[in-house]
Amino acid sequence: MNLNKVIAAGVFGLFLAQTPLLAALASEREANGWIYSNLEEAGLKFTYPAAWKKTMIGSQPAEKDNILKVSGQLTGAAESWAELSLLNSQAGMSPGLLIKVMEETYWSKLPEYKGLLEKPIRLAGAQAAVEKEISFRQAGVMFSQRCLVFQIGPKTYSLIMTCPLSEYHAAGTIWNTAVNSIAASSPAAVGSTSPGASTAPAAKGAKTGSSKATSTGSAPLASSSNKTAASATAGSDHAWHTKDGTLALSFPSSLSEAVVEGDDHLLKAACDKDGRMIALDVYRGDADNNLSLDDLSAILEEKHFAPQKNYHKIGEEQRAMGSGGVLPGVVRESTFDTNGVRVHHLAGYIMVDRKLYAICLSTAGVNSNEAHQIWSRVASSVTIKR
């Protein structure tokens, strides 16, 4: 693993994205190998395997109806995988009618398509729900697809699982758990309308469910306690932790989590709105046994941030992180220009079992006072499980 590469690619790639990051705002907890997710913007609760990776979060230009997409292995075999897609579907149609539209407009045109099962099911809190199972061939491989279309309040959704047909039975427990976990996240969510649903999301949802088959101004380091900071520092926090549970932290709910690439870029969450950009990234890498935490953080600063245009080092210090200041760390602060944007950068480094963790906050269009409040809020929430 190369922490240098992921920091260089991750911080700048996320922070300077030209389009806002849209995500299904979620609070999550892990128990007994499952993630229990409260998808607040979508108005749903949903459960999926803790070992699986998020591959798409929220509405995207190519898939505007996406809420959450996750995928992972079913067994130890290399080709044993499955994907779960949760999507908004077209309002105004019953689940039964939407299933028929999906079959006529998309499924029936797949090579060697077979409709295997269609039945109404009882789903807690739903006015109606219809489950459909199909199989089809793609790139020489037979695939299974399970689809559940359901209505909760005025909203209609689709849940789709795709896997090789040979893995149909291995995927059964995950599918049943996911289906049985679905519920409205709050009474208010049931009464709201589905934002931004496309004119034909059901058919598009069926297609995306098989995506793998089809190719698929500066201030000192000391933080401020100014209580008049803008809205990014207000409101509730989202709890987050690494997959192995080693590191956990909280970040402002105004930041939306996005998909990360690779196993060493652990988190990226951002807000890009009204000329204000805030990006939080967490990385993990192997630490050189011959270098101290201060040495390692200095190397990363000199290699990736110091060469930036108009780089200005504000400060560096050894500072404890976490609640009560129990985690030894190094914090570095700087400003620089990237692609014509003035960036204020705060990075905290901690070591856990010879693993180096970097927690980076990049902002633009945000005053230094507020940036420090956001940073202190995140840094003080860090906990480590050894």
Side-chain angles (χ1 to χ4, degrees):
M1 174 325 245
N2 191 328
L3 186 66
N4 299 348
K5 289 182 179 179
V6 293
I7 284 184
V11 170
F12 300 121
L14 170 63
F15 181 72
L16 298 173
Q18 296 302 304
T19 57
L21 290 167
L22 302 177
L25 219 55
S27 57
E28 298 181 338
R29 66 179 178 87
E30 181 178 344
N32 301 319
W34 297 90
I35 296 292
Y36 297 84
S37 186
N38 185 352
L39 300 161
E40 298 165 10
E41 288 187 350
L44 287 180
K45 294 179 180 179
F46 175 61
T47 298
Y48 62 91
W52 283 23
K53 181 180 177 64
K54 296 175 184 175
T55 56
M56 187 177 293
I57 305 172
S59 176
Q60 303 293 318
E63 298 189 27
K64 296 186 181 299
D65 303 305
N66 180 71
I67 297 172
L68 181 65
K69 186 179 292 186
V70 297
S71 65
Q73 284 197 314
L74 294 169
T75 66
E79 296 303 316
S80 178
W81 62 270
E83 178 183 80
L84 276 170
S85 298
L86 185 60
L87 308 105
N88 287 303
S89 282
Q90 184 172 332
M93 286 190 188
S94 67
L97 180 56
L98 276 170
I99 286 285
K100 294 187 183 302
V101 170
M102 293 165 77
E103 182 164 35
E104 292 175 2
T105 61
Y106 180 69
W107 287 330
S108 62
K109 296 176 174 60
L110 293 171
E112 299 184 33
Y113 163 76
K114 290 183 180 179
L116 305 176
L117 173 70
E118 181 176 333
K119 63 179 181 179
I121 66 170
R122 296 177 64 88
L123 191 65
Q127 286 91 329
V130 177
E131 184 175 355
K132 175 82 172 182
E133 294 183 8
I134 70 166
S135 65
F136 60 92
R137 183 177 295 276
Q138 195 81 27
V141 178
M142 289 299 297
F143 287 92
S144 163
Q145 195 167 83
R146 295 170 165 102
C147 177
L148 174 70
V149 179
F150 58 98
Q151 181 183 356
I152 295 180
K155 295 184 177 182
T156 305
Y157 308 87
S158 299
L159 177 66
I160 298 171
M161 171 175 269
T162 306
C163 67
L165 186 58
S166 60
E167 301 299 313
Y168 172 86
H169 294 291
T173 297
I174 294 174
W175 172 253
N176 290 332
T177 300
V179 169
N180 291 328
S181 73
I182 291 171
S185 60
S186 67
V190 174
S192 61
T193 57
S194 178
S198 73
T199 56
K204 184 185 294 183
K207 185 175 183 179
T208 57
S210 58
S211 61
K212 190 161 184 175
T214 57
S215 77
T216 57
S218 300
L221 278 167
S223 62
S224 169
S225 60
N226 184 355
K227 296 182 180 180
T228 62
S231 59
T233 60
S236 61
D237 285 350
H238 287 301
W240 172 88
H241 60 78
T242 59
K243 285 289 187 182
D244 60 7
T246 299
L247 182 143
L249 55 78
S250 298
F251 60 88
S253 59
S254 56
L255 306 187
S256 295
E257 184 181 353
V259 171
V260 295
E261 299 295 334
D263 295 331
D264 306 305
H265 189 176
L266 307 178
L267 169 71
K268 63 179 177 179
C271 176
D272 180 357
K273 186 178 181 182
D274 300 329
R276 292 160 45 86
M277 293 183 288
I278 304 169
L280 177 68
D281 291 84
V282 178
Y283 307 95
R284 177 181 58 204
D286 298 317
D288 190 319
N289 291 328
N290 298 316
L291 296 175
S292 68
L293 180 57
D294 191 65
D295 292 334
L296 289 166
S297 63
I299 289 171
L300 291 171
E301 183 81 13
E302 290 299 318
K303 183 170 184 178
H304 297 299
F305 305 122
Q308 298 301 314
K309 183 178 180 181
N310 295 325
Y311 169 83
H312 172 61
K313 179 180 177 180
I314 298 172
E316 64 178 87
E317 68 177 17
Q318 295 184 354
R319 185 198 296 176
M321 299 173 67
S323 178
V326 297
L327 302 173
V330 172
V331 179
R332 296 181 176 272
E333 182 178 9
S334 62
T335 60
F336 46 84
D337 296 342
T338 303
N339 291 356
V341 177
R342 189 65 175 171
V343 177
H344 181 206
H345 187 70
L346 283 155
Y349 301 87
I350 57 176
M351 195 97 73
V352 183
D353 298 330
R354 303 314 301 173
K355 293 286 186 181
L356 176 64
Y357 290 83
I359 303 169
C360 304
L361 180 72
S362 301
T363 62
V366 175
N367 66 51
S368 180
N369 205 27
E370 185 179 352
H372 277 280
Q373 288 197 38
I374 299 171
W375 167 253
S376 295
R377 184 169 165 178
V378 173
S380 63
S381 74
V382 176
T383 60
I384 294 297
K385 178 182 177 181
R386 298 180 184 273

